[in-house]
């Protein structure tokens, strides 16, 4: 029964397909949110389209459904390939897939009907926190057992990142979602915001970042056909990430009355983030030195290359906006939304897409149906994300500037209407890129030319 769930790489393929699907759905919900911010009456107050319901649907679907699913799919192929073995259990991989998608699906179904725990990034109801945790635990068992059965002694840095991510996030998620309080998923008062932002920033720092970095470390040496520049540097970046990222969540609460020592640590360590970020980017770019044309020519490599460039932009902006003096201008406005998109979509989303297109032929045994469509996807999403970043940053500075000068909110809002309109229009490019990608994915499975998969034994490590 269900013989397909035993097929090699079938669980990885399911996660990749899930990611491509949720990208299209999640981005579309972004458009609903953007329309609400341009014309609040557009949806005639239909409950399922009000901003407070579509926004969390958008955010959770793109984070857990699109990017994380896609990168888990990549990891499920990359870990066995690097360890010259098979995934320990395809069936357990499918168990992870079903449980994970039960949680993701609870967003678009439950949130529009008002079923939410109402804390940013922690909206899933308790039952779906449980399914997500079970999916993660199954994933950990699968990866650890794959490592235990490996035929390659050395653990390439991508494996470190993937196994690390699964373990870290399964510790951070229950804490941030306050899972021991099933009915509310919350702590009382200010303490709740400390828990929430410990989790919120680790969601991007210990889930999206290490998954994307692990995938980039796999793709870049492979496309450039060059060994990694430095294994030592790769481990410096890995451990510095764990040491520094874990406790910088306080930089989201600099304007709140949390203890000063917590703010100080978060600001100092935000600045120190140049160590892991510098180590990763130097290592990847020095690996690609003199061969960036190979990355540019391959649309998958191009997506990963630009993902690393956006990582640089994100991580220059991040420490700067962690300074309390800067936040007086940038907090509570669209500046942060600009950062969120260049970080989550520009960095981790681009790397996820590039890595997905890179591994897909090996995973499904078919050549990509149309490399032109991958290039088109790249072009569309580039226009969208660069436009988003510029428009939202300018809108944020207008808002921040007027509030700083004592202007009331209702007088500053009309000033940003043109930027909100531009954001909604630019969003159409991102949505188009998602649907183009989904069509290409389906056509690859149905009509792709046969591809001789790189035998696991020959995969580079
Ligand atoms: C699929 C790629 C996308 C990703 C990964 C993404 C990610 C995010 C994230 C992480 C947030 C939360 C930001 C924060 O709280 O600071 C957010 C909010 C938002 N996104 Fe996206 N987004 C994507 C596409 C889009 C598209 C295509 C649109 C519009 C057409 C859009 C419109 C919005 C809006 C309106 C918000 C709420 C902003 C606010 O609260 O002021 N997003 N998105
Ligand atoms: C050097 C690394 C980074 C630093 C120091 C940093 C710093 C910050 C700060 C200070 C904020 C809050 C701004 C405010 O509310 O005024 C923020 C927000 C955010 N960051 Fe970063 N960031 C970094 C990297 C990243 C990365 C790599 C990602 C995603 C992969 C990311 C995703 C986000 C998101 C989604 C938000 C919006 C949170 C919200 O809903 O308010 N950041 N970041």
């Amino acid at each position: 029964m269900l013989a397909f769930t035993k097929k090699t790489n079938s669980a990885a393929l399911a996660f990749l397909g899930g990611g491509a699907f949720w990208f299209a759905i999640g981005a579309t919900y972004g458009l609903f949110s953007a329309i609400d911010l341009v014309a609040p009456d557009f949806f005639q107050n239909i409950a399922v389209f009000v901003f407070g319901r579509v926004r969390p649907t958008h955010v959770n679907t793109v984070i857990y459904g699109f990017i994380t699913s896609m990168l888990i799919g990549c990891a499920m192929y990359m870990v066995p390939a690097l360890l010259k073995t098979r995934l320990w259990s395809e069936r357990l991989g499918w168990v992870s897939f079903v449980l994970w998608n039960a949680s993701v699906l609870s967003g678009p179904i439950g949130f529009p009907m008002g079923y939410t725990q109402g804390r940013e990034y922690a909206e899933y109801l308790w039952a779906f926190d449980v399914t997500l945790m079970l999916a993660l635990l199954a994933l950990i068992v699968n990866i650890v057992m794959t490592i235990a059965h490996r035929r390659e002694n050395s653990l390439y840095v991508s494996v470190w990142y993937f196994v690390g991510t699964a373990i870290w996030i399964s510790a951070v998620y229950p804490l941030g979602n306050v899972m021991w309080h099933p009915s509310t998923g919350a702590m009382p008062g200010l303490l709740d915001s400390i828990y929430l932002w410990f989790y919120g920033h680790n969601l991007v720092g210990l889930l999206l970042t290490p998954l994307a970095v692990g995938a980039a470390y796999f793709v870049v040496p492979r496309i450039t056909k060059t060994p990694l520049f430095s294994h030592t540097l790769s481990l410096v970046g890995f451990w510095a990430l764990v040491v520094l990222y874990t406790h910088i969540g306080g930089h989201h609460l600099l304007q709140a009355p949390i203890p000063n020592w917590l703010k100080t640590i978060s600001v100092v360590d935000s600045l120190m983030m140049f160590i892991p970020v510098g180590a990763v980017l130097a290592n990847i770019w020095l690996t690609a030195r003199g061969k960036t044309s190979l990355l540019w020519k391959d649309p998958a490599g191009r997506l990963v290359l630009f993902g690393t460039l956006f990582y640089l932009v994100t991580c220059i902006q991040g420490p700067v906006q962690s300074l309390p003096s800067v936040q007086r201008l940038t907090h509570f406005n669209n500046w942060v939304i600009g950062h969120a998109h260049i970080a989550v979509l520009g960095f981790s989303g681009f790397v996820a897409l590039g890595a997905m297109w890179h591994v897909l032929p090996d995973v499904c045994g078919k050549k990509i149906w149309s490399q032109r469509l991958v290039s088109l996807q790249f072009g569309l999403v580039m226009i969208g994300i660069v436009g988003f970043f510029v428009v939202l940053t300018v809108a944020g500075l207008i808002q921040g500037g007027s509030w700083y000068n004592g202007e009331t909110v209702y007088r500053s809002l009309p000033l940003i209407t043109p930027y909100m309109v531009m954001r909604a229009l630019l969003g159409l490019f991102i949505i188009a890129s998602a649907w183009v990608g989904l069509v290409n994915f389906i056509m690859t499975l149905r009509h792709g030319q046969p591809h001789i998969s790189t035998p696991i034994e020959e995969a580079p490590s």
Side-chain angles (χ1 to χ4, degrees):
M1 204 177 80
L2 297 177
F4 65 94
T5 58
K6 280 188 176 170
K7 210 174 151 216
T8 307
N9 289 328
S10 61
L13 183 60
F15 267 105
L16 295 178
F21 171 74
W22 289 123
F23 181 17
I25 302 297
T28 306
Y29 270 93
L31 181 63
F32 298 152
S33 321
I35 292 173
D36 274 326
L37 291 178
V38 172
D41 295 331
F42 183 81
F43 292 114
Q44 300 290 319
N45 232 8
I46 300 169
V48 295
F49 287 114
V50 295
F51 184 71
R53 295 184 179 194
V54 287
R55 185 193 196 276
T57 309
H58 165 57
V59 175
N60 285 275
T61 305
V62 291
I63 289 183
Y64 287 106
F66 158 35
I67 301 172
T68 309
S69 291
M70 216 172 244
L71 287 169
I72 290 179
C74 293
M76 277 184 159
Y77 166 76
M78 290 174 184
V79 170
L82 288 165
L83 300 177
K84 298 179 179 159
T85 184
R86 291 183 191 290
L87 186 68
W88 182 63
S89 165
E90 283 298 331
R91 286 230 154 135
L92 196 59
W94 276 94
V95 170
S96 287
F97 173 78
V98 171
L99 290 168
W100 186 267
N101 281 280
S103 303
V104 175
L105 192 63
S106 77
I109 292 183
F111 298 160
M113 292 196 286
Y115 294 110
T116 165
Q117 288 196 325
R119 288 157 84 244
E120 197 183 6
Y121 304 112
E123 283 98 346
Y124 291 140
L125 295 185
W126 184 79
F128 298 104
D129 291 340
V130 173
T131 47
L132 194 139
M133 280 303 299
L134 290 174
L136 278 175
L137 294 179
L139 190 67
I140 292 177
V141 172
N142 224 344
I143 296 184
V144 169
M145 292 306 286
T146 306
I147 293 176
H149 287 85
R150 71 188 191 272
R151 285 192 275 147
E152 164 64 56
N153 259 343
S154 55
L155 293 183
Y156 181 69
V157 63
S158 301
V159 179
W160 284 76
Y161 274 107
F162 295 141
V163 72
T165 308
I167 293 170
W168 298 326
I169 199 64
S170 58
V172 166
Y173 190 90
L175 274 179
N177 284 271
V178 193
M179 281 181 69
W180 59 100
H181 286 172
S183 56
T184 58
M187 298 290 282
L190 193 66
L191 195 55
D192 190 58
S193 52
I194 298 177
Y195 268 83
L196 180 69
W197 282 113
F198 165 73
Y199 154 71
H201 213 87
N202 283 325
L203 180 62
V204 298
L206 294 184
L207 177 70
L208 300 182
T209 299
L211 283 179
V213 169
Y217 267 131
F218 182 93
V219 174
V220 172
R222 244 182 157 208
I223 294 185
T224 57
K225 298 187 173 51
T226 312
L228 186 66
F229 174 72
S230 163
H231 289 277
T232 312
L233 197 57
S234 71
L235 290 185
V236 170
F238 176 86
W239 289 111
L241 182 85
V242 189
V243 171
L244 295 170
Y245 226 129
T246 34
H247 44 273
I248 63 176
H251 64 207
H252 293 261
L253 296 166
L254 296 180
Q255 320 296 321
I258 60 166
N260 264 339
W261 62 265
L262 203 53
K263 293 186 184 179
T264 310
I265 290 180
S266 73
V267 173
V268 171
D269 281 354
S270 296
L271 298 176
M272 298 283 285
M273 278 298 295
F274 80 88
I275 300 174
V277 175
V280 165
L281 288 178
N283 212 357
I284 289 179
W285 290 343
L286 285 171
T287 304
R289 188 176 41 170
K291 298 194 173 164
T292 36
S293 58
L294 291 177
L295 287 173
W296 174 257
K297 275 187 212 141
D298 180 333
R302 207 180 307 153
L303 280 157
V304 174
L305 177 65
F306 275 83
T308 62
L309 289 170
F310 289 135
Y311 188 40
L312 178 69
V313 175
T314 302
C315 295
I316 290 175
Q317 188 188 24
V320 172
Q321 71 189 13
S322 303
L323 300 172
S325 49
V326 174
Q327 268 201 22
R328 260 175 238 142
L329 195 64
T330 58
H331 191 62
F332 283 139
N333 61 51
N334 278 292
W335 170 285
V336 181
I337 310 296
H339 171 74
H341 282 91
I342 199 84
V344 178
L345 174 58
F347 159 49
S348 54
F350 266 56
V351 174
L353 288 168
M356 186 267 285
W357 291 120
H358 178 72
V359 301
L360 185 59
D362 284 333
V363 169
C364 72
K366 305 260 179 85
K367 292 195 168 80
I368 302 295
W369 184 62
S370 165
Q371 289 289 351
R372 282 194 169 182
L373 284 188
V374 184
S375 284
L376 178 64
Q377 178 177 52
F378 168 80
L380 290 168
V381 73
M382 264 305 267
I383 296 172
I385 193 64
V386 174
F388 258 43
F389 187 60
V390 173
V391 161
L392 291 168
T393 303
V394 175
L397 289 175
I398 294 173
Q399 288 174 292
S402 34
W403 297 341
Y404 197 70
N405 290 316
E407 200 55 275
T408 52
V409 172
Y410 88 92
R411 278 163 64 106
S412 66
L413 276 183
L415 300 178
I416 61 161
T417 303
Y419 299 91
M420 294 294 97
V421 173
M422 278 191 269
R423 187 260 300 277
L425 295 176
L426 284 161
L428 294 174
F429 286 87
I430 300 175
I431 293 170
S433 85
W435 288 99
V436 163
L438 185 58
V439 169
N440 203 7
F441 189 97
I442 294 169
M443 295 304 279
T444 298
L445 297 191
R446 293 180 62 130
H447 302 296
Q449 299 291 320
H451 163 83
I452 312 294
S453 299
T454 314
I456 286 175
E457 280 71 19
E458 289 172 21
S461 64

